Each structure stands twice: as C-alpha cells, then as structure tokens.
C-alpha cells in the first residue's frame, strides 16, 4: 500500500483525499516508479475543479521524479534502478509511488536532483516548446510574457536572457517584478497598477511585439491582441483567470492579420523522439546553469490542500513541489 491523493468529486481543495492505494505489478508498456518528489502546477487546479474533465474517482498531478522499481513487458528504454522524471498524462503524480505509462518517462541526469526534476519538467518543457517551436525565437526579438514571476515565467525569463531575447513580463506586485528582473526579464509591468497595453506600446515605441505568450486567459486576451504588431502571433497556453470568451475572427483582421494558437505540451511531446529532444534541450539548459530552477515552496504530500489554496491565491512564486 502507498499513500496517494484521490478525488471522488470535483470542487475546491477540500475534495482531495490522502488515502491508501494498493499497487499491483506494471503491465505491458508500464513502469512502477517510487517518487522522491511531485510537481505542483496550475493545470492540477483545472482537473480538480472539473474545468478539464476526467473520469472519477481520479488522481491529480502531472509531473514527478523518482526511481524505477519495475517495468512491464515491452519496456526497453528504461530499467529498474534508473532515475527518471516525467510530465504528462494520465494524472496521478500526487503519490508516493505509481504505476504509469513508461512512454512519458525520460532518464534524469545524475547532475539534476529529484526535486529539481519534479519541479521543472512540465514548466520547463512548456517554455521549451513555446520558444523553440510554437513561435521560434532566434534572438533579438522583443516579446510579452504574462505571469513572469510564476514557475513557467521564471524559466522563461532565464531562457529569454540566454538566447538574447528582450522579455517584457507582467506581474502582480512589485516584489514579483523584482523577482522576474533578477531572473532576466528586461521590462516588468505590474498589471495591478499599470495598463500593460499602454506600457508595451511605450516600451516598443508603438510597434508592438511579434508574439505574446499568455497563460492568464480571459482577463488578458483582448489586451494581448492589442500588444501585437501586424502579423503577430497570440499564443494562449493557459487560462488562470478563466477561459477565453468567444470572439469574432475580425478581431484578428482589424489588428493586422494576426495569428492565434492554443497549444498544449502534450501535443508537442506526443512523439517519443520529440519528447527526448525536448527533454535533452531542457536538461542542457539546466546543466549549463543558464537556467536555475527555483523551488520556492515545499509541502508534504498530505498538505496538498494548503498548496492548492496558496497557488490559487497567487501566493507562490517559481516552482512548487510536494514531498511524499
């Protein structure tokens, strides 16, 4: 028996239960992983509240790191004793150990700790595909990135600095602005005291930016469109403030033939060779110390409800982990 978090209904943090779960043996294509740390991400809130539906009862959590204890038939890329990390479906990372699809596991270099591995996979791979593939940045661009002091945001700050990109980042407080700047964000905008559209226009001398990376959703979507230069791309990769309401395509035409995309990590990492290339790129950035993963909050797995309260109240910065 192992301890794990399960939900039998959707709702607030109180629906998460700390229970005993019996694990069997991994089946074909599966692996049993003893987890040293689990990651906490806003997508977990979407599953908990039912914004992202899943069959119930269910687990929560999309990333973790640990040691392989057993593998099922047909699994050849990992073996018992390997250090591994992952980000992906199905949910269920909030657990001491779990049986899971081996296809989403990648070997974790010895130079990267389990806690760092658990804290960076979903957020780091997200920045990787956003910057390398969704709108490939080559250096020299000026970009707008919302929630610059969050887990994804602080990695984006450092990645942008490493490749020579000028990053404008929105934040919710002066303290978060200082944090984002310390990690490489060139310009910060406190959206509680400043109009981010006007500030972006000032910073870019009226030109706007070629790309906006927006994980906020409803509250920032139209403003983000207004920050784009003609032929710019709106990358809506999250909806922390709620889903983007319906809008007419003429909104894109009237602002200069804009593009919009709603990408997910799981589409970009669906092919094994793509996942391995993405992970190798991320690991290289971390091992070279171009990117440092800031684990600013640690909670015991049993205290996951408090972790969710703090996450939704925007009290967290950087990455957060749960320790089984």
């Amino acid at each position: 028996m192992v301890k794990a978090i399960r939900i039998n209904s959707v709702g607030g943090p109180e629906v998460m239960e700390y229970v005993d779960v019996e694990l069997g043996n991994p089946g074909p294509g599966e692996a049993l992983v003893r987890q040293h740390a689990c990651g906490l991400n806003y997508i977990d809130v979407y599953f908990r509240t039912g914004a992202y539906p899943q069959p119930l009862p269910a687990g929560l959590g999309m990333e973790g790191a640990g040691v392989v204890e057993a593998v099922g038939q047909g699994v050849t890329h990992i073996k018992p004793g390997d250090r591994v990390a992952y980000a992906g479906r199905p949910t269920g990372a909030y657990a001491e150990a779990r049986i899971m699809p081996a296809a989403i596991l990648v070997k974790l270099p010895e130079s990267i700790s389990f806690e760092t591995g658990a804290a960076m996979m979903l957020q780091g791979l997200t920045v990787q595909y956003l910057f390398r593939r969704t709108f490939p940045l080559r250096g020299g661009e000026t970009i707008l990135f919302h929630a610059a002091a969050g887990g994804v945001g602080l990695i984006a700050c450092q990645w942008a600095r490493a490749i020579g990109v000028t990053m404008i980042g929105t934040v919710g407080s002066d303290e978060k602005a200082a944090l984002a700047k310390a990690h490489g964000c060139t310009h910060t905008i406190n959206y509680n005291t400043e109009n981010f559209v006007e500030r972006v226009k000032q910073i870019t001398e009226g030109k706007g930016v070629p790309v906006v990376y927006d994980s906020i959703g409803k509250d920032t979507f139209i403003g983000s469109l207004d920050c784009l230069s003609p032929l710019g791309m709106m990358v809506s990769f999250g909806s922390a403030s709620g889903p983007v309401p319906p809008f007419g395509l003429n909104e894109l035409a009237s602002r200069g033939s804009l593009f919009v995309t709603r990408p997910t990590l799981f589409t970009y990492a669906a092919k094994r060779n793509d996942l391995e290339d993405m992970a190798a790129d991320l690991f290289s950035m971390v091992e070279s110390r171009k990117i440092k993963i800031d684990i600013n909050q640690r909670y015991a797995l049993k205290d996951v409800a408090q972790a969710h309260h703090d996450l939704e109240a925007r009290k967290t910065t950087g990455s957060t982990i749960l320790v089984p």
Side-chain angles (χ1 to χ4, degrees):
M1 303 290 284
V2 300
K3 290 291 187 181
I5 301 299
R6 291 289 183 268
I7 61 171
N8 292 291
S9 61
V10 297
E14 70 280 354
V15 302
M16 296 182 289
E17 299 178 27
Y18 186 60
V19 299
D20 291 314
V21 175
E22 186 171 356
L23 295 181
N25 296 315
E30 293 181 331
L32 170 58
V33 178
R34 178 71 54 175
Q35 303 201 120
H36 288 241
C38 323
L40 177 75
N41 297 279
Y42 214 93
I43 193 173
D44 305 342
V45 174
Y46 301 154
F47 279 105
R48 192 204 73 218
T49 60
Y52 287 3
Q54 64 176 334
L56 299 175
L60 289 175
M62 306 292 286
E63 68 178 343
V67 176
V68 177
E69 291 194 341
V71 298
Q73 182 181 354
V75 177
T76 58
H77 66 285
I78 54 169
K79 63 184 184 305
D82 282 348
R83 304 171 80 251
V84 293
Y86 66 90
R89 297 184 181 183
T91 59
Y94 293 0
E96 293 177 333
R98 64 182 298 205
I99 291 174
M100 58 184 298
I104 66 171
L105 293 168
V106 294
K107 291 183 180 179
L108 186 66
E110 291 287 344
S111 61
I112 299 176
S113 72
F114 290 117
E115 288 196 353
T116 298
M120 75 177 187
M121 290 299 290
L122 193 145
Q123 297 168 347
L125 291 176
T126 295
V127 176
Q128 198 280 340
Y129 85 76
L130 289 175
F131 283 9
R132 301 294 201 199
R133 296 172 66 193
T134 304
F135 187 95
L137 298 173
R138 315 213 186 285
E141 301 94 342
T142 297
I143 68 172
L144 175 61
F145 202 104
H146 288 291
V152 175
L154 290 185
I155 295 173
C157 290
Q158 296 173 82
W159 206 308
R161 177 172 59 187
I163 61 177
V165 166
T166 297
M167 179 165 150
I168 305 170
T170 64
V171 294
S173 69
D174 291 342
E175 292 78 14
K176 289 186 175 182
L179 187 64
K181 279 198 170 183
H183 285 73
C185 191
T186 316
H187 306 278
T188 56
I189 302 170
N190 183 340
Y191 54 74
N192 286 318
T193 60
E194 301 175 278
N195 182 306
F196 75 85
V197 178
E198 293 178 0
R199 285 285 290 123
V200 167
K201 295 295 186 182
Q202 290 172 1
I203 293 167
T204 62
E205 298 179 339
K207 297 175 185 176
V209 294
V211 60
V212 176
Y213 298 99
D214 189 338
S215 62
I216 304 301
K218 175 173 66 71
D219 290 351
T220 52
F221 185 80
I222 295 300
S224 293
L225 295 182
D226 289 334
C227 292
L228 287 166
S229 56
L231 306 181
M233 178 175 283
M234 171 65 183
V235 181
S236 177
F237 69 100
S239 50
S241 67
V244 174
F247 67 97
L249 289 179
N250 281 341
E251 299 286 350
L252 305 179
S254 64
R255 289 172 171 83
S257 302
L258 304 180
F259 297 85
V260 64
T261 183
R262 179 59 175 90
T264 71
L265 168 62
F266 313 114
T267 306
Y268 279 84
K271 296 179 181 178
R272 179 71 200 180
N273 60 326
D274 287 336
L275 172 60
E276 290 185 348
D277 288 346
M278 292 165 67
D281 191 15
L282 174 61
F283 293 158
S284 174
M285 295 292 281
V286 172
E287 288 180 306
S288 67
R289 300 187 179 181
K290 293 177 180 176
I291 290 176
K292 180 179 181 293
I293 306 300
D294 286 330
I295 303 172
N296 292 341
Q297 297 81 213
R298 289 175 172 81
Y299 301 84
L301 180 61
K302 64 183 177 61
D303 296 329
V304 66
Q306 185 61 53
H308 273 234
H309 277 297
D310 292 347
L311 181 66
E312 291 183 274
R314 298 186 179 179
K315 292 181 179 178
T316 63
T317 59
S319 297
T320 303
I321 61 167
L322 305 172
V323 182

